[in-house]
Amino acid sequence: MGEYFKELFGGTKSLVVGLGITIKHMVKPVVTLQYPHESLKMSARFRGHIELLGDEETGASKCVVCGMCQRACPSGCIALAGEKPEGAKKKVLTSYVLDFTKCSLCGQCVESCKFGAITFSKEYNLAGPRKEAYIFDLKKRLEERSG
Amino acid sequence: MSDLARSQNQETFVLNLGPQHPATHGVLRVKLTMDGEYIVEAEPVLGYIHRMHEKMGENRTWAQFMPNTARLDYLGALSYNHGYVKVVEQAMGIEVPERAEYIRVITVELNRIASHLLWFGAFVLDLGGFTPLLYAFDDREHILDLLESVTGARLTFCYFRFGGLYNDIDDDFVTGSRAFIKRLRKRMPDYHNLVTKNIILITRLKDIGILPGEMCRKYGATGPVLRGSGVDYDVRKNEPYSVYPELDFDVPVYSECDSMARYMVRMDEMEQSMRIIEQALDKLPAGPIMPEKVPKILKPEPGDYYSAVEAPRGTFGIRVVSDGTNKAYRLKLRSPTFSNLSLFGEASQGMLLADALALMGSLDLVIPEIDR
Amino acid sequence: MMFIPEPLRLLAFVVGIIAFIALNAAYLVWLERKVAGHIQRRIGPKEVGPFGLLQPLADGLKLMSKQLLVPKGVDPYLFKVAPLLVLVPAVMSFVTIPFSENLVARNIDIGLLVIFAFASVNVMGLLLGGWGSANKYAVISAARCVSQNVAYEIPMLITVITMIMVTHTMNLNEIVMQQDGSLLNWYIFRLSASPLMPVAFLIFFTCSLAETNRAPFDLGEAESELIAGYHTEYSGMGFGVFFMGEYANIIIGCSLATILFLGGWQCPLGLYPGWWWFLAKVYLLIFCVMWIRWTYPRTTLWGLLNLSWKYLIPISLVNLLLTGAMIKLWPLLKTFLMGAS
């Protein structure tokens, strides 16, 4: 009999304590961010999709078309091509295409690049109706950015 | 089998739980033969999210396989990263600097807390309580912010490298981690009062879903499932690796074998992880995070290598066979949830549907890791 | 008073009740989402209209514009009639509920009995809906709902019998009238009728939670076990009508608790009695229902039966005996005390 009442009162108490906790949280301010209206700034190391980096003076890509990033990529999302103009010492990038549909954002391409030619973008609001929208021509994007 | 089922001439029906079902948390299908609400037979059907990770390991260079490890168990990605770099370091004979080891332990334990917090929420959600899930997510978000600030990703971290780390932690991370531990310590009593001590939860978990230690052994169950069955086995203690031997922590073991025991093991593990992180932060040495010389192209000596770590869900073992080239000849992943799930069929016999789902929740299943 | 022909008056009331139920169902969903949101440290609906107040309207429109799917293999007749079997008894129950002294569709002497008679039809709707859906989850859920309803009707009715013994009437209007005056006249605090009155209120409230399949007794629609329970196969307004019925039943449960224990339309201080007090008390109870839902995990069937048979039924029986004894003893005790002084 004692056990019975102990169980009854103990159980009821635990239920009341639970109600107390939820009401306590109810009167506290909300912790969520109203996403489409506000959004967070990504941290400095955030790994978005990659982006080509331009030379600070000329704005041209720093890429020397060594192809290390292409080889490092586990998913084969990078396709790049370059040519050696007459009289130049280094190769010049002619196209750099990222197939973001396959990218797993591992960052091995950026790590493999010894020339600092690629970096992570901070973009994360990516959505679109077509697959083709995610085949990025990074060279064109660089040119658009630099002006 | 329940006596009821036996007595009634097998008047049973088949209930397909999944592959799309709120309780399976992914694409797991369990074929249940039911007698009313009692389960006569349960058969997990796997393979709905099989992605051939082991085969991929044979087709990619050692470094290229790294991102895959984060996609096995996406909730405890760093433990899987750790297991993989550990086996390759072992094969290559690479020495890891001490600072890197400490940071590995700190981040892995943070990841373990995040994983357990999510499990806690999802488990209570399985039992029909929605609110604790969002409280747990609130806390988990802080860990993800911390880990994002060092690894650059919020879920599929690819942070460890052969020999060390992708990049170093800063003071913000150290103070952030300490602040987080303080915060979680404050929140734990709320969790216990709201959930652990709740009479409804206790009646649902106590003495329900008994998994005797012998059954766990038979199916190779590890992690909190095994420790909830009274077997004191934790890779961090039994086969110490990294800097765990230098840190003081306990392995929570409960011998009740019921769902409540597994629940308590995980709740206590969060406390222990907090202890580990605090000590590791105190002892954090200065120094490099990568060894001076790591070969550019990895070609381990031909041989057979195995290494295991304690992932949030149990022992994650990885065995690689190298033939001396830049790719693995064979890569075998031993994922804990696969073994933990396989005992579900035997354990759930004769149970009520609701109790069986509570048992399934207490196993903490992550489906992509079962199917790999 | 203006003379209105009786049939017209009744029609006006029924239209009013249906509008009340529909509006309530819509806005209780909004309230539920807001309460859940703030309990979970979020803000709930906010995009459609100010504070998301137009959200129920948008949801309603969406439900009404959706196709009514009738899956292959269902019993077409039962499948269609089941939602109505849930909603119609709920509407009928409102006929006897007094919102204020004059605001009642039909002031019947056996009002309490009428409500319980209609309330037991409700479970028929759930059963037929689950059975007619030809879905295993729905059938399991229907079976659960029935056993749950049967188990909880017993303590609830025992408590109601106790109340009838105290009030000597089943007329809801009169029951409220008896609680006139101040807070202390409310039956929940009428300890001279039975010292266990507050406990009786709790039992009644718990049982009405279980009767309406609300958490933590929402076994019928346990989403982590049975997807959506008996309404798994319903789309559009088929689901909508079930939903309205569910909320209407919650309002009825809370209204009854208010009338029996919390003094109906009476003001706590005896001032300005009226329908506003009735609604305020009902909504306060509904808030508690929501608060409970977002706090506890779900019980299991056997846990629920345990609670009913081990705790609620014995305690309500003790209460019944105690009340009977008090009815006989209290007058004696009173005269004795009077005589002594």
Side-chain angles (χ1 to χ4, degrees):
Chain A
M1 206 60 190
E3 194 69 9
Y4 177 86
F5 281 107
K6 216 176 114 192
E7 217 178 296
L8 179 65
F9 290 120
T12 316
K13 194 184 146 217
S14 79
L15 295 179
V16 174
V17 168
L19 283 177
I21 287 170
T22 40
I23 200 84
K24 198 178 80 197
H25 279 282
M26 189 174 173
V27 293
K28 280 189 195 164
V30 295
V31 291
T32 46
L33 187 88
Q34 302 312 314
Y35 164 60
H37 308 292
E38 317 162 60
S39 56
L40 282 177
K41 206 176 162 293
M42 286 293 111
S43 63
R45 285 176 183 174
F46 179 74
R47 302 200 303 251
H49 69 76
I50 52 168
E51 201 77 86
L52 282 175
L53 268 183
D55 194 90
E56 272 140 43
E57 283 160 34
T58 61
S61 169
K62 289 194 209 165
C63 178
V64 296
V65 205
C66 65
M68 278 305 280
C69 47
Q70 197 176 11
R71 255 167 286 155
C73 180
S75 322
C77 3
I78 299 171
L80 75 171
E83 58 179 19
K84 209 170 184 180
E86 288 290 318
K89 268 187 206 152
K90 283 192 278 183
K91 268 190 172 178
V92 174
L93 188 70
T94 52
S95 93
Y96 196 113
V97 179
L98 169 73
D99 184 354
F100 189 54
T101 57
K102 292 187 205 159
C103 175
S104 57
L105 296 171
C106 66
Q108 303 215 2
C109 42
V110 176
E111 234 174 310
S112 70
C113 185
K114 285 192 201 57
F115 304 92
I118 40 182
T119 181
F120 298 115
S121 75
K122 300 283 172 270
E123 253 178 79
Y124 62 100
N125 286 317
L126 292 162
R130 280 173 313 116
K131 190 181 164 192
E132 290 73 36
Y134 296 101
I135 301 194
F136 299 136
D137 187 342
L138 294 186
K139 186 156 186 289
K140 214 163 109 196
R141 285 169 73 107
L142 173 69
E143 279 156 11
E144 274 163 17
R145 264 184 299 141
S146 55
Chain B
M1 200 192 294
S2 67
D3 294 339
L4 199 68
R6 263 202 213 98
S7 63
Q8 291 179 344
N9 295 329
Q10 303 291 318
E11 278 192 18
T12 55
F13 64 96
V14 174
L15 188 69
N16 264 310
L17 198 79
Q20 295 292 336
H21 188 279
T24 56
H25 300 295
V27 281
L28 169 70
R29 174 173 161 221
V30 186
K31 220 173 112 187
L32 298 171
T33 310
M34 307 275 296
D35 175 46
E37 287 232 23
Y38 286 93
I39 292 172
V40 180
E41 209 183 316
E43 184 196 345
V45 183
L46 309 179
Y48 287 91
I49 192 166
H50 192 35
R51 289 146 302 162
M52 296 190 294
H53 276 301
E54 291 179 5
K55 196 74 191 162
M56 276 180 181
E58 296 169 21
N59 291 313
R60 296 177 163 200
T61 62
W62 297 99
Q64 279 179 343
F65 188 68
M66 264 310 282
N68 288 53
T69 56
R71 281 156 179 84
L72 297 170
D73 174 357
Y74 49 84
L75 298 177
L78 281 174
S79 296
Y80 291 74
N81 271 193
H82 197 177
Y84 181 59
V85 293
K86 208 168 123 236
V87 75
V88 176
E89 279 155 12
Q90 194 183 315
M92 293 290 299
I94 302 173
E95 275 291 309
V96 184
E98 210 184 3
R99 183 177 171 83
E101 288 283 22
Y102 271 97
I103 296 172
R104 279 182 184 181
V105 167
I106 293 168
T107 48
V108 162
E109 293 302 324
L110 275 175
N111 200 195
R112 188 187 311 276
I113 297 178
S115 167
H116 281 350
L117 275 174
L118 192 137
W119 160 83
F120 165 76
F123 182 44
V124 183
L125 185 65
D126 278 351
L127 301 174
F130 196 89
T131 301
L133 174 81
L134 283 130
Y135 293 165
F137 264 59
D138 185 7
D139 283 334
R140 180 172 173 265
E141 207 64 13
H142 284 80
I143 301 184
L144 296 191
D145 284 343
L146 281 171
L147 289 178
E148 187 201 320
S149 73
V150 291
T151 69
R154 292 181 78 81
L155 197 68
T156 47
F157 318 105
C158 178
Y159 180 49
F160 301 156
R161 294 290 179 269
F162 306 122
L165 305 166
Y166 170 47
N167 47 30
D168 202 354
I169 59 172
D170 49 15
D171 289 343
D172 284 349
F173 177 81
V174 174
T175 48
S177 304
R178 283 190 201 279
F180 170 75
I181 288 174
K182 219 173 133 195
R183 177 196 153 92
L184 188 61
R185 286 238 163 91
K186 257 202 212 139
R187 298 266 289 199
M188 283 311 260
D190 263 14
Y191 289 151
H192 284 304
N193 284 329
L194 180 62
V195 181
T196 316
K197 291 179 190 160
N198 187 297
I199 183 76
I200 302 177
L201 188 102
I202 292 174
T203 51
R204 288 210 59 177
L205 300 185
K206 207 138 192 86
D207 301 327
I208 304 282
I210 302 280
L211 304 175
E214 199 43 50
M215 191 198 279
C216 291
R217 258 185 238 270
K218 198 165 85 187
Y219 286 99
T222 45
V225 177
L226 184 67
R227 290 194 283 277
S229 295
V231 181
D232 185 0
Y233 178 77
D234 187 317
V235 183
R236 290 173 296 176
K237 283 272 187 203
N238 292 54
E239 298 165 47
Y241 58 94
S242 197
V243 288
Y244 282 113
E246 290 158 45
L247 302 167
D248 174 34
F249 65 99
D250 301 322
V251 177
V253 177
Y254 283 77
S255 53
E256 286 87 354
C257 308
D258 53 3
S259 297
M260 195 69 191
R262 292 186 282 282
Y263 172 92
M264 286 314 295
V265 166
R266 292 201 182 86
M267 295 308 271
D268 288 0
E269 263 182 26
M270 281 199 254
E271 314 253 357
Q272 295 302 326
S273 290
M274 286 193 270
R275 268 180 73 194
I276 295 175
I277 296 167
E278 272 183 334
Q279 291 173 44
L281 285 173
D282 289 340
K283 288 187 178 172
L284 188 67
I289 54 157
M290 283 295 271
E292 287 187 357
K293 195 89 189 109
V294 181
K296 278 217 66 80
I297 295 166
L298 297 170
K299 282 184 179 166
E301 285 294 301
D304 202 335
Y305 308 95
Y306 176 81
S307 145
V309 290
E310 184 70 24
R313 278 156 198 79
T315 306
F316 169 61
I318 179 161
R319 178 182 173 191
V320 293
V321 181
S322 167
D323 55 359
T325 61
N326 62 347
K327 288 170 187 158
Y329 172 75
R330 174 78 173 96
L331 192 144
K332 162 75 186 152
L333 305 162
R334 184 241 180 256
S335 63
T337 340
F338 180 80
S339 314
N340 292 359
L341 173 70
S342 38
L343 53 72
F344 180 74
E346 188 182 328
S348 65
Q349 267 182 25
M351 279 174 94
L352 281 167
L353 179 64
D355 291 340
L357 289 174
L359 164 66
M360 191 145 91
S362 77
L363 294 177
D364 193 9
L365 303 178
V366 169
I367 315 301
E369 189 229 45
I370 299 175
D371 278 348
R372 302 193 288 282
Chain C
M1 205 175 129
M2 202 175 72
F3 177 75
I4 308 166
E6 180 62 19
L8 266 182
R9 197 185 74 95
L10 211 57
L11 191 71
F13 262 106
V14 168
V15 170
I17 285 168
I18 292 175
F20 178 73
I21 289 177
L23 260 177
N24 250 307
Y27 276 90
L28 285 182
V29 175
W30 176 83
L31 186 70
E32 174 118 51
R33 290 176 62 183
K34 276 285 183 193
V35 169
H38 281 281
I39 281 181
Q40 295 159 357
R41 313 283 293 274
R42 343 176 248 117
I43 54 179
K46 66 179 260 275
E47 287 296 324
V48 191
F51 304 105
L53 271 170
L54 298 179
Q55 185 74 47
L57 233 62
D59 288 347
L61 271 177
K62 183 203 80 176
L63 280 180
M64 276 186 257
S65 60
K66 272 173 98 171
Q67 187 191 357
L68 267 174
L69 279 175
V70 181
K72 220 172 165 182
V74 304
D75 184 318
Y77 183 66
L78 293 185
F79 188 75
K80 281 173 192 158
V81 89
L84 291 178
L85 270 178
V86 175
L87 184 63
V88 172
V91 175
M92 297 303 287
S93 303
F94 269 101
V95 167
T96 59
I97 287 182
F99 287 78
S100 78
E101 199 174 343
N102 297 316
L103 202 61
V104 49
R106 266 291 165 95
N107 188 5
I108 315 175
D109 273 344
I110 49 162
L112 205 50
L113 191 65
V114 168
I115 289 183
F116 282 102
F118 280 123
S120 35
V121 180
N122 164 40
V123 67
M124 192 74 181
L126 304 187
L127 177 65
L128 292 185
W131 179 254
S133 298
N135 178 314
K136 289 165 188 166
Y137 289 111
V139 174
I140 295 180
S141 149
R144 281 184 180 189
C145 282
V146 173
S147 53
Q148 176 182 343
N149 267 273
V150 170
Y152 275 79
E153 229 144 60
I154 301 168
M156 191 173 200
L157 289 180
I158 295 176
T159 313
V160 170
I161 289 169
T162 318
M163 289 314 291
I164 294 170
M165 277 164 58
V166 174
T167 58
H168 298 292
T169 175
M170 282 200 257
N171 185 320
L172 296 175
N173 252 35
E174 271 176 40
I175 293 178
V176 179
M177 299 277 208
Q178 290 168 4
Q179 305 178 58
D180 195 9
S182 76
L183 197 80
L184 293 175
N185 279 346
W186 292 5
Y187 274 120
I188 185 174
F189 299 122
R190 199 76 79 76
L191 298 185
S192 59
S194 156
L196 283 180
M197 246 348 171
V199 178
F201 169 71
L202 281 182
I203 292 177
F204 186 86
F205 189 64
T206 314
C207 291
S208 59
L209 276 183
E211 286 273 297
T212 49
N213 294 327
R214 282 292 294 196
F217 306 110
D218 55 343
L219 301 178
E221 40 194 301
E223 77 282 345
S224 58
E225 296 157 26
L226 303 178
I227 326 288
Y230 50 85
H231 58 64
T232 305
E233 294 289 353
Y234 284 88
S235 65
M237 266 329 259
F239 163 73
V241 169
F242 262 128
F243 212 62
M244 262 158 70
E246 191 190 316
Y247 276 98
N249 279 326
I250 294 168
I251 302 170
I252 291 170
C254 292
S255 303
L256 268 185
T258 309
I259 291 167
L260 288 177
F261 293 97
L262 301 179
W265 67 79
Q266 309 285 3
C267 165
L269 304 169
L271 307 163
Y272 308 112
W275 55 268
W276 44 87
W277 280 112
F278 178 77
L279 286 187
K281 289 171 194 172
V282 169
Y283 285 124
L284 189 73
L285 283 184
I286 290 177
F287 170 75
C288 290
V289 170
M290 292 173 180
W291 181 15
I292 286 171
R293 169 165 178 193
W294 296 106
T295 303
Y296 302 138
R298 183 183 308 118
T299 54
T300 51
L301 195 60
W302 56 264
L304 184 123
L305 296 179
N306 251 3
L307 177 69
S308 175
W309 289 101
K310 270 172 75 181
Y311 298 103
L312 298 184
I313 292 179
I315 295 174
S316 52
L317 276 176
V318 166
N319 184 33
L320 181 74
L321 289 175
L322 213 63
T323 312
M326 284 299 271
I327 288 172
K328 287 285 166 210
L329 287 181
W330 184 246
L332 286 178
L333 206 67
K334 222 156 130 187
T335 45
F336 178 74
L337 286 176
M338 294 283 223
S341 66

